[in-house]
Amino acid sequence: MEVTTMSEALQLHAQLLKLGRRHKDASRNLSNLFTFAALSPAGDLSYARLLLNSIPTLNSYYYNTLLRAYSHSPHPTHHFHALSLFLSMLHHLPLPDNFTFPFILKCCTRLKLTPYGKQLHAFIVKMGFGSDLYIQNALIHMYSEFGHLGAARALFDRMPHRDVVSWTSLIDGLVNHDRPVEAIQLFERMLEAGVEVNEATVVSVLRACADSGALSMGRKVHWIVKERGICANSNVSTALVDMYAKSGCIESARKVFDDAVDKDVFVWTAMISGLASHGQCKEAMDLFVHMEKSEVKPDEKTVTAILSACRNAGLLHDGYVFFSNVQKRYGIKPTIQHFGCLVDLLARAGRLKEAEDFVNTMPVEPDAVLWRTLIWACKVHRDAERAERLMKHLEVKEMNADDSGSYILASNVYASVGKWGSKAEVRGLMNKKGLVKPPGSSRIEVDGGVHEFVMGDYHHPEAEKIFVKLDHMVDKLRKEGYSPKVSEVLLEIDDEEKAVQLLHHSEKLALAYGLIRTNQGSTIRIVKNLRSCEDCHEFMKLISKLYQRDIIVRDRIRFHHFINGDCSCKDHW
C-alpha cells in the first residue's frame, strides 16, 4: 500500500499491528512506512522516531535515514535529536558508516558545537573514514562555519581529490569571515584547476566581489554565468544586483534587475537597497511602489531598505509615515533595525530630543547599536552634554566584552569634550579586556587586483610613490584654500601632527594609488570599512574637481559619488 498522508500512514500501521509481524509483507511495509514518515514533506519525524524504536532488526539504513531527515530540518530541536540518535547508535549495532557522518556533522555545525565537532573529527579518523570526499567536505564546511579557517584550509590542502563542494565550502567560509580577497584568489585557483562552478559557487564569489569592491572579477563571474549557462535564478540575480550596486555600478545592477525573469522579494529588495545606498532615494521609493503593484510582499529587509532611503535623503515625514504603517499595511512587526533607522533619521536631522524621547518610549529594548547611533549624532551636532548623559546607557561595566564599538564611541565622546583622563580610562579597560579597535581600511581594485590600505600604510610595494603623490595633491589643494579639519583627530597632539594623521587616512592612500595607476578620465572606486570623516569627504570633493576624476567611495553607511567638486550625498551622511 502506497501512502501519501500521515492519516493513511496511521491506517497502514494499524493494519500491520493487527496482522502481526509474521505477515509476509510486514517488514517491507514497516520499512516503507518509516521512510515516508522520515523523508516525505507530509511525514512526521516524531512518528518516524517511534517507528524506529519498534523495528526489530535495525541496520544503518534506518539510522542514516532519520539522521538525514533531522539534518535537513530547520528546527534546532531536531538537530539535538540527531545527536541523541547518533549516541544511541554508538551504543548499539550497527556502527556508523560513511553515510552517517555528513549528516551528524551538518547538525553539529548548525548547533555551533565546536568541541563536539572536533571530537567527531577525531572519531572519523579513528574509524578510517578520514579520506571520504563527502565527509571531508562536511568537515571543511563545519570548520569554516566555526571560524576555524586554518583547520578548514589544512583539510582542503591535504585532499587528493576535490569537487565543486570542496572549493565552494572554503570560499564561502572565507567570505563569511571577512576574507573576501582570499576567497577570490581561491576561486581563481578553482578556475585554473578546471573545476566546473555551480550556482552556490557563483553566489559566494559574487558576495566576495561585493565586499571587496572587486568589480573586474564580478564582471568575469557574470560572464561565466552567461557563457556556461548557469541557471540565473533568483539567488544568482540577487547576488549580481548586490555585487554591481556595492561596486558602485548602479546602472549595471539595474540592467540585471530589469533582465531578471522571476523577481522574488530578495531581488526587489537588493535593487531598492542599492538605489538607497547610492542616494537615488526617489528611485528606490518608486521601485517599491512598482513592487507592490507586482503583488510581491515586502519582508523585514525591504522595510529596512525603504527606511534607509528616507534616512539617506533626509525625508523625515515620509520615513515616519512609512514606519507607522508597516505593521498595519504589511503585517510586519517593526524590528530593532527598523526602530534604529527612524532614530537615525531623526538624529541626522538634528532633532536629538525627539530621537531620545522616541528611544525611551520604544516597545522594544534598545540595543548598544541604537544607543551608539544616537550618541554619535550628538557628537556630530556638537551636543556634548546630551552625548555624555546618554553614555550611561553604554556604561563600561555593562558593555559587551566582545564588542569594542561602545568603548571606542565612549573614548571619542570624552576626547571631543577634552576629557582626556576619561578617555584614557576607557582605553585602559579596552586593553584589560584584550579588545582592539578595528583599523580603518580602504580597498581599491587596479588591473584586476584588489589593494588594501590602512592608515599610514608603508608596506605597499609602491608606498614611496604614493606618499610623494599625496604631497603633490595636498600642495595643489592648499592653493585652492584647503585646510585640514584637525578637529576630526581625537588625540592629544598638536595640530601639525593631527594634519599628518589626516593625510595618511586609508582612503587618501587608496585615492593617491588610484591616481597613479589608472588612466586619466577613468572612474576611481574605493571601498572603506568605516564611516568617512569630514576631512576625507572634503578632500575627495576637491580632488574630483582639480583632477577631473569621478570618484566613488563606499563607506560603512552609503555611497559617495564625487563629481566636479560635489558629492551625491549632499554632505548628508
Side-chain angles (χ1 to χ4, degrees):
M1 175 182 176
E2 184 178 347
V3 296
T4 57
T5 66
M6 276 307 299
S7 177
E8 293 174 357
L10 291 171
Q11 292 176 35
L12 174 60
H13 196 187
Q15 290 178 19
L16 293 175
L17 292 172
K18 184 177 180 180
L19 292 171
R21 292 177 179 171
R22 293 183 180 179
H23 188 271
K24 63 177 182 177
D25 292 327
S27 178
R28 179 172 59 83
N29 284 330
L30 190 61
S31 179
N32 291 340
L33 183 61
F34 168 78
T35 303
F36 171 81
L39 300 181
S40 171
D44 185 327
L45 287 180
S46 298
Y47 192 69
R49 184 64 181 265
L50 290 172
L51 284 172
L52 184 75
N53 294 335
S54 68
I55 295 173
T57 307
L58 289 172
N59 56 39
S60 60
Y61 166 79
Y62 293 104
Y63 280 103
N64 290 341
T65 297
L66 192 51
L67 285 172
R68 173 187 170 190
Y70 282 142
S71 72
H72 290 167
S73 170
H75 304 295
T77 303
H78 289 153
H79 303 149
F80 281 112
H81 288 337
L83 299 183
S84 171
L85 181 62
F86 177 72
L87 292 174
S88 174
M89 189 178 186
L90 294 180
H91 289 91
H92 305 87
L93 292 177
L95 288 172
D97 58 23
N98 59 315
F99 294 103
T100 309
F101 290 107
F103 301 135
I104 197 65
L105 285 168
K106 185 176 181 180
C107 291
C108 187
T109 302
R110 291 271 188 90
L111 294 170
K112 304 291 185 187
L113 298 176
T114 305
Y116 195 86
K118 290 179 178 179
Q119 291 176 34
L120 271 174
H121 188 183
F123 184 60
I124 287 166
V125 173
K126 183 179 179 181
M127 291 283 291
F129 296 120
S131 60
D132 182 274
L133 176 63
Y134 299 102
I135 294 175
Q136 287 177 320
N137 286 343
L139 285 167
I140 289 171
H141 176 67
M142 179 190 76
Y143 281 121
S144 295
E145 286 293 306
F146 291 166
H148 296 177
L149 295 174
R153 188 61 184 259
L155 266 171
F156 178 86
D157 289 340
R158 288 198 302 267
M159 291 174 71
H161 304 288
R162 310 180 187 102
D163 63 6
V164 63
V165 177
S166 317
W167 291 88
T168 303
S169 295
L170 187 53
I171 288 170
D172 198 52
L174 290 166
V175 178
N176 288 338
H177 291 88
D178 196 29
R179 290 161 70 171
V181 176
E182 291 178 58
I184 292 170
Q185 292 169 346
L186 188 63
F187 176 67
E188 290 177 318
R189 276 187 56 198
M190 180 182 179
L191 295 179
E192 290 170 2
V195 180
E196 198 67 33
V197 303
N198 61 17
E199 175 198 329
T201 318
V202 163
V203 171
S204 291
V205 176
L206 286 171
R207 285 175 53 219
C209 295
D211 290 347
S212 62
L215 178 60
S216 296
M217 178 55 74
R219 284 177 171 152
K220 182 176 181 178
V221 175
H222 191 182
W223 177 85
I224 290 172
V225 168
K226 293 178 179 178
E227 185 71 14
R228 302 190 183 180
I230 295 173
C231 180
N233 59 19
S234 173
N235 289 339
V236 175
S237 296
T238 301
L240 282 167
V241 168
D242 189 57
M243 182 276 296
Y244 278 122
K246 288 181 177 177
S247 298
C249 296
I250 196 66
E251 297 82 7
S252 297
R254 186 59 188 257
K255 187 177 187 314
V256 172
F257 173 81
D258 290 339
D259 291 345
V261 178
D262 297 317
K263 296 186 181 75
D264 62 10
V265 63
F266 304 109
V267 181
W268 285 94
T269 300
M271 191 66 242
I272 291 169
S273 181
L275 290 166
S277 67
H278 280 265
Q280 298 183 23
C281 303
K282 182 181 183 303
E283 292 85 348
M285 298 179 79
D286 288 344
L287 189 62
F288 178 70
V289 172
H290 188 194
M291 174 181 170
E292 287 187 295
K293 290 179 180 177
S294 301
E295 298 183 350
V296 177
K297 186 179 178 182
D299 63 10
E300 291 180 0
K301 290 186 177 179
T302 319
V303 173
T304 301
I306 291 297
L307 289 173
S308 297
C310 295
R311 176 194 64 194
N312 290 344
L315 301 175
L316 184 56
H317 175 74
D318 296 277
Y320 192 82
V321 170
F322 178 78
F323 176 86
S324 301
N325 292 326
V326 160
Q327 188 160 0
K328 181 179 179 182
R329 186 166 181 175
Y330 308 110
I332 299 173
K333 187 176 180 180
T335 66
I336 189 68
Q337 287 79 17
H338 301 151
F339 285 106
C341 283
L342 200 59
V343 169
D344 199 12
L345 184 56
L346 285 164
R348 286 184 188 216
R351 296 165 72 161
L352 300 175
K353 184 179 185 308
E354 289 180 58
E356 183 181 356
D357 291 343
F358 181 81
V359 172
N360 289 327
T361 57
M362 283 185 348
V364 297
E365 186 70 22
D367 61 6
V369 175
L370 197 149
W371 284 119
R372 289 204 295 261
T373 298
L374 183 53
I375 294 169
W376 178 265
C378 292
K379 177 180 171 293
V380 170
H381 289 284
R382 308 291 191 265
D383 192 343
E385 182 181 342
R386 189 185 304 275
E388 281 195 273
R389 178 165 49 77
L390 293 176
M391 284 300 302
K392 70 177 185 291
H393 298 287
L394 289 176
E395 288 179 357
V396 173
K397 65 180 181 180
E398 297 177 358
M399 291 178 185
N400 188 323
D402 297 324
D403 180 17
S404 63
S406 297
Y407 291 89
I408 293 164
L409 179 58
S411 170
N412 289 341
V413 167
Y414 289 132
S416 68
V417 294
K419 293 192 173 182
W420 303 108
S422 298
K423 175 185 175 177
E425 288 180 17
V426 173
R427 291 289 179 168
L429 282 165
M430 282 184 67
N431 293 335
K432 186 177 179 181
K433 290 179 176 286
L435 298 177
V436 179
K437 177 184 177 181
S441 65
S442 297
R443 294 172 177 146
I444 182 170
E445 185 185 46
V446 175
D447 295 333
V450 177
H451 299 257
E452 186 169 10
F453 296 88
V454 295
M455 190 179 82
D457 198 337
Y458 293 95
H459 299 291
H460 193 276
E462 298 183 65
E464 186 175 344
K465 291 181 182 178
I466 291 169
F467 284 102
V468 169
K469 183 67 173 179
L470 264 179
D471 289 338
H472 290 164
M473 292 160 64
V474 171
D475 287 342
K476 291 184 72 171
L477 290 183
R478 281 176 178 156
K479 292 174 183 176
E480 298 296 321
Y482 167 71
S483 178
K485 297 181 182 296
V486 294
S487 60
E488 289 285 299
V489 181
L490 300 175
L491 297 172
E492 201 172 5
I493 56 179
D494 62 37
D495 286 354
E496 186 175 343
E497 290 178 286
K498 288 181 179 181
V500 172
Q501 289 262 339
L502 287 173
L503 181 60
H504 292 174
H505 277 190
S506 63
E507 57 263 60
K508 291 190 178 89
L509 298 178
L511 175 61
Y513 187 63
L515 289 171
I516 292 170
R517 291 292 307 276
T518 60
N519 296 326
Q520 178 63 36
S522 62
T523 299
I524 294 175
R525 292 180 169 85
I526 297 170
V527 176
K528 181 175 170 61
N529 67 334
L530 302 176
R531 186 195 295 250
S532 290
C533 74
E534 287 186 41
D535 184 76
C536 285
H537 193 266
E538 187 65 23
F539 194 91
M540 296 286 174
K541 284 165 63 176
L542 292 170
I543 291 293
S544 72
K545 182 177 181 180
L546 285 175
Y547 285 78
Q548 285 299 290
R549 299 289 290 270
D550 291 358
I551 303 167
I552 300 176
V553 177
R554 185 182 102 203
D555 72 5
R556 189 172 58 84
I557 303 297
R558 60 175 297 162
F559 274 88
H560 302 266
H561 293 242
F562 299 97
I563 303 174
N564 197 31
D566 292 317
C567 181
S568 59
C569 77
K570 311 282 191 226
D571 298 336
H572 179 86
W573 82 97

